[in-house]
Amino acid sequence: MVIVTLFVFVAFSMFSISVTQIACGLGGLAWLLHTHLTDTWKDQRWPLGIPFLLYMFACLIAVANAYDVSYSYESLKKLLEILIFFWVLNCVRENGLRDSLSLVLIASATLAGLFGFYQYLQFFYLNTEQSGVRESVDSLLSHAYAHRVEGTLSTYMTFSGLLMVTGILALGRIMFRRPMQPWLWASAGIITICLLFTLTRQAWFGFVVGLIFLVFFWRKKNLWLLPILLLVIYIASPLPAQERIKDMLTGEAETFRMRTSLWKGGWEIFKDYPLTGCGFRCVDLVSSQYPDPSGYIEMLRGMHNNFVQLAVDTGILGLFAWLGIWFYFFRLLYHRSRAINRDTRECWVTYGSAAAVIAFLAGGCFETNFYDSELVMVLYFIMALPFTGSQSKEYNLGKNVSVSTRP
């Protein structure tokens, strides 16, 4: 049951949050039951256990001191998603299973990307059929922004985030894993092009940052090719994507001005609740008490930035506890990268996982993607990959937090 639910989890993560949540729920229960029946609690690995516990504790404190406890406590159920990280790393004990799950996730993202192509082509076909003539640039852009590719998920923001982290994982496997499956190039291309069609700039930004990280550790001398590659992609992009890129580079993007207004409003709220925040979703209740000349805070009620959002919701305690998760995650990966010494069976998953998390954090500077359950569940799966597989004793960072850094 554990193995079946793992495959269902990765296969449907790009298509249905309900099936994905049911799979990880049943799989988690099966894991705990198996551990209890076999009395193997001592064999379970808990890397990042302390940072995650501190963050959960900070969230509980934030809700206990919330502006309205009854309104904020429901968000605590998202903390259960953290168990996905430990479920995956303790149940995937073989390299073959780890690789198979990773490839199924990439294949699922490829199929979702192909469906995104269908949505994109359908939009332009229907648009042409309805108008009968070639539309003006302004009209075309207006329709494109209103019909952005979103796959089978709730919004294009979620879809683009999933494509971002999965695409980076695929590129990590292409660059560092030997032998490399040729079909991965096609998958990476489909995922990247579909990501472009979503017109989601924060996901583009995260993807580029993650790609720079991968190329830097793969072949530093190839970094100079990235600007040329990005220029080619820009020239080959459809007009709506080109306009989005132009606005981003020139600083004329209306959405960026919107975000700066939200961040300023978030700072004002944070100053009144600096230690523990005002609780999850508190902006819905307190926004009317603060100046909002643009009207964006009342309309959106979110900060469009992970760091600002967590500072508002959980205060300094929650923000620093959350940052601690990523600090210790990268610290463990650093020691692991030293231990595996460019082993092609292992290093691809280490660099791919690190790059995906970097892409997620970079994209989170312009979107509160940490509150997106569909994305976070896949993120925890990718985070767990470096700690899975048939790890030898010196690789097992779960049992030995202190790892020798000697060559």
Side-chain angles (χ1 to χ4, degrees):
M1 181 177 285
V2 168
I3 293 176
V4 169
T5 52
L6 281 167
F7 277 102
V8 172
F9 174 83
V10 294
F12 284 87
S13 58
M14 303 295 297
F15 299 101
S16 171
I17 184 175
S18 298
V19 176
T20 305
Q21 288 177 331
I22 292 172
C24 64
L26 292 176
L29 290 175
W31 162 50
L32 295 176
L33 179 61
H34 177 271
T35 304
H36 172 72
L37 294 176
T38 57
D39 193 21
T40 53
W41 290 105
K42 293 182 179 180
D43 295 331
Q44 305 305 299
R45 304 186 295 238
W46 307 96
L48 299 181
I50 293 177
F52 273 126
L53 283 175
L54 290 176
Y55 171 70
M56 295 170 67
F57 184 62
C59 290
L60 291 173
I61 294 176
V63 170
N65 292 278
Y67 183 84
D68 186 335
V69 176
S70 63
Y71 192 72
S72 296
Y73 84 93
E74 291 183 4
S75 297
L76 289 175
K77 63 184 179 181
K78 287 183 175 291
L79 296 178
L80 293 174
E81 295 165 358
I82 294 173
L83 293 176
I84 294 174
F85 174 78
F86 297 103
W87 168 52
V88 174
L89 73 89
N90 280 299
C91 293
V92 182
R93 297 297 185 105
E94 298 178 359
N95 290 349
L97 178 59
R98 178 195 65 193
D99 291 355
S100 297
L101 290 169
S102 303
L103 293 175
V104 170
L105 177 63
I106 295 170
S108 177
T110 304
L111 292 176
L114 290 174
F115 182 73
F117 285 5
Y118 168 76
Q119 289 181 322
Y120 182 80
L121 294 174
Q122 184 184 45
F123 156 67
F124 277 101
Y125 173 75
L126 292 177
N127 194 42
T128 304
E129 286 289 312
Q130 292 172 2
S131 63
V133 295
R134 182 178 177 82
E135 291 192 282
S136 67
V137 173
D138 290 340
S139 178
L140 179 61
L141 293 176
S142 173
H143 281 83
Y145 296 156
H147 299 84
R148 293 158 76 172
V149 172
E150 58 186 30
T152 61
L153 300 172
S154 54
T155 66
Y156 55 85
M157 308 288 283
T158 297
F159 187 50
S160 63
L162 288 169
L163 292 175
M164 174 185 69
V165 296
T166 310
I168 288 296
L169 181 68
L171 288 172
R173 187 174 177 91
I174 289 171
M175 293 179 185
F176 294 97
R177 179 72 164 89
R178 295 296 179 272
M180 186 269 296
Q181 294 93 337
W183 66 268
L184 286 175
W185 280 112
S187 292
I190 292 170
I191 293 170
T192 303
I193 295 172
C194 189
L195 177 61
L196 193 66
F197 289 162
T198 64
L199 303 180
T200 311
R201 286 178 292 206
Q202 66 268 16
W204 295 350
F205 175 69
F207 187 87
V208 171
V209 173
L211 179 60
I212 291 172
F213 174 87
L214 287 175
V215 175
F216 179 82
F217 285 99
W218 180 49
R219 293 174 184 171
K220 296 183 181 67
K221 62 182 180 181
N222 289 343
L223 280 173
W224 68 272
L225 293 174
L226 280 181
I228 299 176
L229 175 62
L230 295 176
L231 179 60
V232 171
I233 292 175
Y234 170 77
I235 295 173
S237 299
L239 181 60
Q242 289 185 359
E243 291 298 319
R244 297 281 287 179
I245 295 171
K246 280 183 184 177
D247 291 345
M248 181 171 61
L249 296 178
T250 59
E252 297 179 358
E254 176 62 28
T255 54
F256 183 74
R257 288 192 285 270
M258 175 196 73
R259 282 169 169 78
T260 55
S261 297
L262 293 173
W263 300 340
K264 290 177 182 177
W267 172 250
E268 295 300 321
I269 299 174
F270 169 74
K271 288 192 295 185
D272 289 341
Y273 305 91
L275 186 59
T276 61
C278 58
F280 295 107
R281 301 195 298 164
C282 64
V283 178
D284 297 357
L285 306 176
V286 305
S287 59
S288 59
Q289 303 174 17
Y290 296 88
D292 185 19
S294 64
Y296 287 133
I297 298 177
E298 183 180 1
M299 179 177 66
L300 299 173
R301 300 180 180 179
M303 298 294 106
H304 279 264
N305 180 291
N306 285 331
F307 306 91
V308 178
Q309 189 72 60
L310 283 163
V312 169
D313 292 348
T314 63
I316 293 176
L317 289 179
L319 177 61
F320 275 83
W322 184 76
L323 291 174
I325 295 172
W326 312 116
F327 173 81
Y328 280 100
F329 172 73
F330 288 114
R331 180 174 176 267
L332 286 177
L333 288 194
Y334 169 74
H335 288 306
R336 178 166 171 75
S337 66
R338 295 286 299 273
I340 61 180
N341 193 26
R342 304 285 290 190
D343 183 348
T344 57
R345 297 169 303 171
E346 302 291 335
C347 68
W348 78 267
V349 73
T350 300
Y351 289 115
S353 178
V357 172
I358 289 172
F360 167 82
L361 294 175
C365 293
F366 302 97
E367 175 62 26
T368 313
N369 55 8
F370 187 66
Y371 286 13
D372 191 335
S373 293
E374 292 100 323
L375 175 56
V376 169
M377 289 192 296
V378 173
L379 179 73
Y380 285 145
F381 171 82
I382 294 175
M383 286 175 61
L385 290 178
F387 309 104
T388 60
S390 306
Q391 301 181 18
S392 60
K393 185 175 181 180
E394 64 269 23
Y395 293 172
N396 190 346
L397 301 183
K399 295 181 180 179
N400 301 294
V401 176
S402 176
V403 180
S404 174
T405 58
R406 292 180 297 175

